[in-house]
Structure formats: C-alpha cells, structure tokens
Amino acid sequence: MSEHQCGPAYAKGFFQGVRDAVIASCVSGKYLVSCIDHETDLLGIDFETSAGITVARDGVLVTEFVDRKSLGARTDLRAYKWLGSTPICYLAEGALPEAQFDGPKVDQLLFQSLEKLRSNLTEDGKKYALVSRAIFTAGLNFSGDTDVVEGTIKDGKVYHRIKAGEAFPAGCECCTFDDDTGDCLGTWCDE
C-alpha cells in the first residue's frame, strides 16, 4: 500500500461536500466517513465483486469478505456501509436488533448528494465510504466523546474494537471521520 493519505487534509473537497450534504439532509452525526484503502490495498478487496459480512463477538466486530454472488437473494442481511449508494458491508439480521442503519432508502437526499459529489471527484475522493454510526454505537458501545474505533487486519478479516480514552493511539493512522466535523473517530493499527 502506498503511504496512507486519508482525511480532510487530503480530500478537502470531498469532506466539505459531505459536511454540506449531511447538514442539508439534517442527518449530522448519523454517519461516519471511512477510508477504504486498507480493505482495497492491503486485503485486495474489490467492492464491485466482494462485500463484507460482519458479526459481533465479545465486544469486537469481525468482518469477513465474500463474493457478492454468494449473497444471492439473502434477506437476513442489513447494509451498514455504502460506497456511494452501493452497500459494501452487511450485518446479519438478528445481530444487534436495536441498531437502525437507515442508508439510501431513508436518507435519500444525503445519498443523492453524495452520488453527485463522487461523480465529480478524482480517484482520491472516491476511496471513502459512508458508515452508519449505529454499527459502532450498538455493536461496540461507541460514544465518540473519548472513544476511538480501532480497526486491525488479521487472517484476512477486519476487526473493530473500542479504544476508550485514547484520542489517537500511538502507531495508528486515522481512517474514520465524523461526517460533520471531519474529526478522527477511528484508526487502523498494525496487529
């Protein structure tokens, strides 16, 4: 992977567009912006042909990537992460039943605005997905006040857990950002 360059400092136009869209859509704080270059570069995931299936285990969200064709017409999956309006990660129905992920069907104005924004951006601006904040609040008890969601890759899977009280753990790179402020709320760390 080339040097990790994610966030408002590297894609200012995209983050300003997201901020404008979430404010205009009245959904500020409902989503997070996630850089997907770790999945695409380190794991070699092509989100046109693959999707993530996430399970919650002992305070950790574990995502395994599968061929999209294997999803078929499954009705037990709920999308929580989108590249544009296309779902790229799902949680199985029944897991975290209290979590409401919404997405393009509920927040149509936001996702329509983001589709327009993505179509006008360079490739650098297209490496960001929108994630429902509810996956982390319901699955990890994420507050966003002093918590940081830490992502690691191990055995071809992505593991997310909370690092409470650590605004930015040493040795980690910021990859998940507040939809309104652009503040770092999630990191990737080597494991």
Side-chain angles (χ1 to χ4, degrees):
M1 182 173 86
S2 60
E3 182 182 345
H4 182 76
Q5 295 182 335
C6 282
Y10 300 100
K12 187 176 181 176
F14 177 77
F15 277 84
Q16 184 61 50
V18 169
R19 183 176 193 278
D20 293 346
V22 299
I23 290 170
S25 304
C26 300
V27 296
S28 183
K30 194 172 179 181
Y31 296 94
L32 300 171
V33 179
S34 178
C35 183
I36 60 169
D37 66 353
H38 284 85
E39 291 101 322
T40 57
D41 293 355
L42 292 179
L43 290 175
I45 302 301
D46 176 354
F47 284 111
E48 288 189 24
T49 59
S50 300
I53 304 293
T54 302
V55 296
R57 278 192 221 133
D58 302 320
V60 178
L61 296 174
V62 182
T63 304
E64 185 171 3
F65 296 92
V66 300
D67 187 309
R68 277 191 182 277
K69 291 177 186 172
S70 72
L71 300 179
R74 286 181 63 174
T75 59
D76 65 324
L77 301 175
R78 294 185 295 155
Y80 70 87
K81 186 173 185 176
W82 301 267
L83 191 54
S85 293
T86 303
I88 61 172
C89 287
Y90 299 86
L91 185 70
E93 193 67 48
L96 309 176
E98 70 281 8
Q100 181 65 40
F101 301 139
D102 294 342
K105 291 181 181 176
V106 174
D107 296 319
Q108 294 173 357
L109 179 60
L110 172 66
F111 281 86
Q112 288 170 355
S113 297
L114 292 179
E115 284 291 348
K116 288 178 190 172
L117 177 65
R118 286 177 49 77
S119 69
N120 295 324
L121 291 174
T122 63
E123 285 304 308
D124 188 52
K126 293 182 180 180
K127 66 179 180 179
Y128 298 95
L130 215 55
V131 181
S132 174
R133 187 180 291 244
I135 188 71
F136 298 125
T137 55
L140 300 175
N141 295 317
F142 172 73
S143 72
D145 297 328
T146 58
D147 296 341
V148 174
V149 176
E150 179 185 85
T152 55
I153 295 173
K154 185 177 177 183
D155 302 324
K157 298 176 185 173
V158 174
Y159 296 80
H160 287 100
R161 60 185 52 86
I162 291 293
K163 290 292 185 175
E166 296 182 39
F168 198 90
C172 297
E173 302 170 325
C174 191
C175 67
T176 304
F177 306 88
D178 184 85
D179 62 1
D180 184 4
T181 65
D183 291 345
C184 178
L185 295 178
T187 62
W188 279 102
C189 300
D190 294 327
E191 185 166 287

